[in-house]
Amino acid sequence: MASPHAHPLPTSVLIVEDEPELLHRFSAALLAEEGLQLVAAVATGAAALAVLSASVPDVVLLDLGLPDIDGIAVIRHVMQHRPECDVLVVTMFGDDDHVFAALEAGATGYLLKDVGLDRIAASIHELRGGGSPISPSIARRVLARMRGAAPADAAGGQPPPAAVLTPREIELLKLTAKGLSFDKVGELLGISPHTVVAHVKKIYRKLAVHSRAEAVYEATQMGLL
């Protein structure tokens, strides 16, 4: 007989997708996956905000091309009101404008819709395990920008290396770099220590680090501190 402590609580997921067929397929894939729990599956940004006002899912699986509210605005809403949530973008948009706007707004994963359904479920597990699942073609450009080099297919000058961090994350990182406790950082920013931890986790994922010292080092190399 399995121990009652053998399995952690399931990861709760809100799906936001306006294409009926994909909404159905994503929902079915999540319902069939052990360790995942479907909170709701909605087709508009307004419906997503309504769900978020009443519950706190672990992950928001989000399409950017919604019929009513821009997906980037939904990400910003999640980061402002539910910062403990992870946002996994699954979209057809693979251009730099959408990719970096989503990451800057606070998304912790970015997949193109050509991925298989098994990859969607695996990416949600990866996200909750501290990873940042990103489609390979997108990841190359993210790495290029973080190194301060413009992607080969981008026009114009070099983008700022700080583009992957939000202004709030940069502010929080500067405070943690001073050695302040999460409680003190929360007090200074007017947020709870739990919210501070949620922001720090996102910073770690975006910078691909695992400690405060590593985050400070990487941020310094990027010219943030």
Side-chain angles (χ1 to χ4, degrees), residues 59-60 62 75 78-79 85-89 106-109 127 202:
V59 175
V60 178
L62 176 70
I75 298 174
V78 173
M79 293 302 101
C85 297
D86 284 308
V87 176
L88 175 60
V89 171
T108 42
L127 201 66
K202 293 183 189 300

Side-chain angles (χ1 to χ4, degrees), residues 15 22-33 38 117:
I15 300 176
L22 282 178
L23 184 64
H24 174 74
R25 290 174 61 202
F26 290 163
S27 299
L30 264 62
L31 289 170
E33 178 73 15
L38 183 61
L117 292 180

Side-chain angles (χ1 to χ4, degrees), residues 177-198:
K178 296 178 181 179
L180 301 179
S181 69
F182 291 156
D183 287 347
K184 185 61 177 178
V185 171
E187 179 184 335
L188 291 173
L189 296 180
I191 57 180
S192 71
H194 179 75
T195 301
V196 172
V197 172

Side-chain angles (χ1 to χ4, degrees), residues 85-110:
C85 297
D86 284 308
V87 176
L88 175 60
V89 171
V90 182
T91 185
M92 62 181 293
F93 299 116
D95 59 283
D96 285 359
D97 287 345
H98 282 93
V99 170
F100 293 109
L103 295 177
E104 184 177 358
T108 42
Y110 199 106

Side-chain angles (χ1 to χ4, degrees), residues 57-81:
D58 295 313
V59 175
V60 178
L61 184 67
L62 176 70
D63 181 21
L64 295 182
L66 301 175
D68 57 342
I69 301 175
D70 181 67
I72 304 300
V74 175
I75 298 174
R76 294 194 183 106
H77 178 91
V78 173
M79 293 302 101
Q80 181 177 356
H81 299 283

